[in-house]
Amino acid sequence: MPITRSAKKALRTSVRKRAFNQVRKDNVQKTVKSVKKLVGEGKKKDAAQALRLAQKALDKAVKEKTMNKNAASRKKSRLSRMIKKVA
């Protein structure tokens, strides 16, 4: 446990940031999972709509510095490639 006053404050902010980051990461994971599920079912039109939501979630995570820019870009690229492969 923190002893100094500044360490206590750092712990409080760290806990608060962790909660926000966890919500953002969960949102990203849910949207990406829904896209993959729709691609697996072969629903190209629905998957394309879900991709927009996933891209929005990824961009928001990057903007708030929850996720690395390149990692989000890689995920978006791979998801769009998956959708293009669906017949």
Side-chain angles (χ1 to χ4, degrees):
M1 291 304 298
I3 295 171
T4 62
R5 209 168 73 182
S6 61
K8 289 176 184 176
K9 181 181 176 184
L11 178 67
R12 284 195 308 269
T13 57
S14 173
V15 167
R16 187 165 187 262
K17 285 180 182 178
R18 185 178 188 280
F20 281 110
N21 288 339
Q22 202 61 41
V23 169
R24 282 190 210 97
K25 281 184 181 180
D26 289 344
N27 191 18
V28 166
Q29 287 175 348
K30 279 193 291 184
T31 55
V32 167
K33 191 174 182 179
S34 68
V35 172
K36 287 182 180 180
K37 182 181 175 190
L38 290 167
V39 166
E41 294 171 357
K43 299 178 179 177
K44 189 172 186 173
K45 198 171 193 179
D46 294 334
Q49 290 177 344
L51 176 64
R52 281 192 222 114
L53 295 174
Q55 287 174 334
K56 183 178 178 182
L58 286 163
D59 288 338
K60 195 169 268 195
V62 169
K63 182 178 136 190
E64 301 297 327
K65 295 187 174 75
T66 300
M67 180 180 262
N68 188 301
K69 175 180 69 171
N70 293 335
S73 179
R74 184 178 62 243
K75 285 181 186 288
K76 288 191 283 187
S77 172
R78 288 181 181 172
L79 286 173
S80 62
R81 266 195 304 171
M82 287 171 75
I83 291 174
K84 284 180 184 176
K85 285 184 180 179
V86 174

